[in-house]
Amino acid sequence: MEAVENSRLNKFHYKLLAILGTVWAFIAVNTIAASFVIALLKKEPAFQGSLAKLGSLGSAALFGMLFGAWLFGYLADRIGRKKTLILAVSTFSLASIVSAFSKNLDQLILLRFIVGLGLGGSLPVASSYFAEFMPKSVRGAMISILESFWAIGTIIIGVVALLVKADWRSILLFGGAVVLILPILATLPESPRFLLVTGRVREAEEIVRKVFGASVRLEVPKTTGRASVLDLWRKYSRTTLMLTIVWFSIAFAYYGFFIWLPKFLSATLEITVFKSFQYFIITAVAQLPGYWSAAYLLERIGRKKTLSYYLLLSGLAGIGFYLAANSGSETYIMASAIAFSFFNLGAWGAIYAYTPELYPTEVRGTGTGWAGAMARIGGGTAPILAGKIMEVSGAALAVLVIAVVAIIGALDVLALGRETKGTELS
């Protein structure tokens, strides 16, 4: 695939970035919506519950993402990246619209689980699909830029929450608006790498010619075959172990912190929930330079160092939040929250660039799906655990636990990771 690896960025690459970036932003919208919905449900008697049960509302989509990552990751290696992505986006957009009409908390939790199925499938499939079209010279940076649309989605949902005067049903309806992009997704080509490993050589050659303007003769790789989760552990055990730990850690830190961030801020700063929404948007804005700086460093110091350093620094920022919360200083609390947001989301940009490069094409969808599933276990556990800790010991200790898990993930990458900067996708 030298025509792809050695290509220059062209109009197609930027079109793909815009389309998948929009999908990515709405994945963030639907994920982060839970943090606003949880804070607003106290106004309605039919949706009352303990902090732990409200935390399970935040976790419902994340546990759905666990199964969605496995299911759609598997499908991506069998029916193709494009078809699987369309199916996953359809699932979460339509389920989000239906969830806006929930009549009680249990019904809402179930529908959020279904939303999560589509969200969990969209993330690894979109990142693998995007990576397989990117030239090696800028692949890491471009994937990090794609991931930065998460911050844009986070900012958008925060603004929407303020504009609709904190009506949680309108927030969920907005999350389903991404259904409008499905006809545009349908116009995109299938990944030529997927076509090649499934023996569809002529189709792969035609797409390479149209997208990259290169006439090539391709051959089916000798490694063609169906991959399974067992193959991840039999053939790529060190890589899979490293990714299992770091994806669990980064998601535990992110979802544990951001699902509860309005509550953390209102509790430690003693401000209204509405005011905490405004502060939430400030921390979300800090995510953009986090992504962009990581995108720069990915092509300078490499994937392994960027991911481990940013994850470590996000953990240290979490410890700073714990210390600041105990001191009661608004300046230090916000500074540490902004620092956590900057470094944690920079780490997300790095991990999405890093993961697809660690597996060959025939197992890439399955491998990234497995990694995404581990993230959902971490992300699904964190809001419930943080809710229980807050009920017993307050918000500060919950953030400290989150910080420690982030640091464990950083040490895991340093110990088990390998560098992939400048390598071709096998």
Side-chain angles (χ1 to χ4, degrees):
M1 276 294 184
E2 291 184 8
V4 178
E5 295 288 351
N6 299 322
S7 66
R8 294 184 178 182
L9 291 178
N10 58 36
K11 289 182 180 179
F12 172 79
H13 291 114
Y14 293 114
K15 174 185 176 182
L16 191 63
L17 176 64
I19 295 171
L20 295 185
T22 301
V23 171
W24 212 273
F26 270 92
I27 295 172
V29 164
N30 280 275
T31 304
I32 299 301
S35 62
F36 297 102
V37 172
I38 288 171
L40 297 170
L41 287 179
K42 65 180 183 181
K43 297 180 180 179
E44 300 192 33
F47 292 86
Q48 297 306 298
S50 66
L51 287 179
K53 186 164 185 179
L54 287 174
S56 70
L57 174 60
S59 297
L62 299 172
F63 284 124
M65 291 168 84
L66 163 64
F67 295 102
W70 277 333
L71 172 62
F72 290 102
Y74 176 87
L75 289 176
D77 284 334
R78 280 149 183 81
I79 68 172
R81 284 36 167 163
K82 173 184 169 180
K83 289 180 181 178
T84 304
L85 184 59
I86 291 173
L87 183 59
V89 173
S90 300
T91 299
F92 82 74
S93 59
L94 295 176
S96 181
I97 293 171
V98 175
S99 70
F101 300 94
S102 301
K103 296 182 179 180
N104 54 59
L105 185 56
D106 290 334
Q107 191 177 96
L108 181 57
I109 289 173
L110 174 60
L111 288 166
R112 287 291 299 171
F113 176 84
I114 298 172
V115 169
L117 290 174
L119 296 176
S122 299
L123 286 168
V125 175
S127 63
S128 294
Y129 180 59
F130 189 72
E132 289 175 351
F133 278 104
M134 291 299 121
K136 65 182 179 181
S137 61
V138 294
R139 184 186 302 116
M142 288 296 288
I143 294 176
S144 186
I145 292 171
L146 171 65
E147 168 66 7
S148 73
F149 279 82
W150 185 280
I152 294 172
T154 302
I155 295 168
I156 288 172
I157 192 59
V159 172
V160 168
L162 295 176
L163 291 177
V164 300
K165 298 181 179 179
D167 173 22
W168 66 269
R169 295 184 187 274
S170 296
I171 292 172
L172 296 178
L173 278 174
F174 177 77
V178 71
V179 72
L180 299 175
I181 206 171
L182 290 175
I184 301 175
L185 274 179
T187 67
L188 295 176
E190 181 54 85
S191 164
R193 293 180 186 275
F194 167 78
L195 294 173
L196 193 58
V197 299
T198 53
R200 296 156 65 181
V201 179
R202 293 286 180 86
E203 293 177 65
E205 290 175 344
E206 181 63 18
I207 289 172
V208 170
R209 185 188 66 79
K210 287 183 178 179
V211 172
F212 301 98
S215 296
V216 295
R217 294 295 298 274
L218 301 174
E219 295 181 3
V220 178
K222 295 179 181 179
T223 55
T224 298
R226 298 298 187 185
S228 68
V229 171
L230 288 178
D231 290 328
L232 299 180
W233 292 99
R234 283 198 298 256
K235 301 177 182 179
Y236 315 100
S237 56
R238 182 186 177 99
T239 292
T240 303
L241 176 61
M242 183 272 291
L243 290 176
T244 296
I245 296 171
V246 70
W247 275 88
F248 178 95
S249 300
I250 193 173
F252 186 98
Y254 176 83
Y255 291 106
F257 190 77
F258 283 100
I259 290 295
W260 284 111
L261 184 55
K263 180 67 176 180
F264 288 157
L265 293 175
S266 62
T268 55
L269 297 177
E270 297 183 354
I271 57 177
T272 65
V273 170
F274 192 76
K275 185 69 174 179
S276 74
F277 287 179
Q278 296 173 328
Y279 282 4
F280 180 97
I281 295 173
I282 293 172
T283 64
V285 171
Q287 296 174 9
L288 285 170
Y291 282 121
W292 296 334
S293 61
Y296 175 82
L297 292 174
L298 283 168
E299 305 298 350
R300 297 301 184 277
I301 67 174
R303 281 60 158 150
K304 177 180 175 179
K305 289 182 179 179
T306 303
L307 173 57
S308 56
Y309 293 170
Y310 271 58
L311 198 51
L312 176 62
L313 289 169
S314 72
L316 295 177
I319 293 174
F321 187 100
Y322 168 76
L323 298 174
N326 287 328
S327 71
S329 169
E330 180 174 346
T331 300
Y332 290 141
I333 289 172
M334 284 303 299
S336 58
I338 289 170
F340 182 94
S341 188
F342 178 98
F343 288 113
N344 184 266
L345 276 296
W348 276 104
I351 202 169
Y352 270 105
Y354 191 33
T355 302
E357 295 179 338
L358 291 167
Y359 291 113
T361 299
E362 64 269 15
V363 74
R364 187 169 296 120
T366 303
T368 55
W370 171 270
M374 296 305 100
R376 306 322 151 201
I377 293 175
T381 303
I384 297 174
L385 181 60
K388 288 184 177 295
I389 293 173
M390 281 193 290
E391 287 181 332
V392 176
S393 302
L397 182 61
V399 177
L400 179 61
V401 172
I402 288 166
V404 171
V405 173
I407 293 171
I408 291 171
L411 297 177
D412 161 64
V413 176
L414 286 172
L416 299 177
R418 61 181 174 87
E419 186 51 62
T420 60
K421 181 174 79 74
T423 60
E424 294 186 3
L425 291 182
S426 59

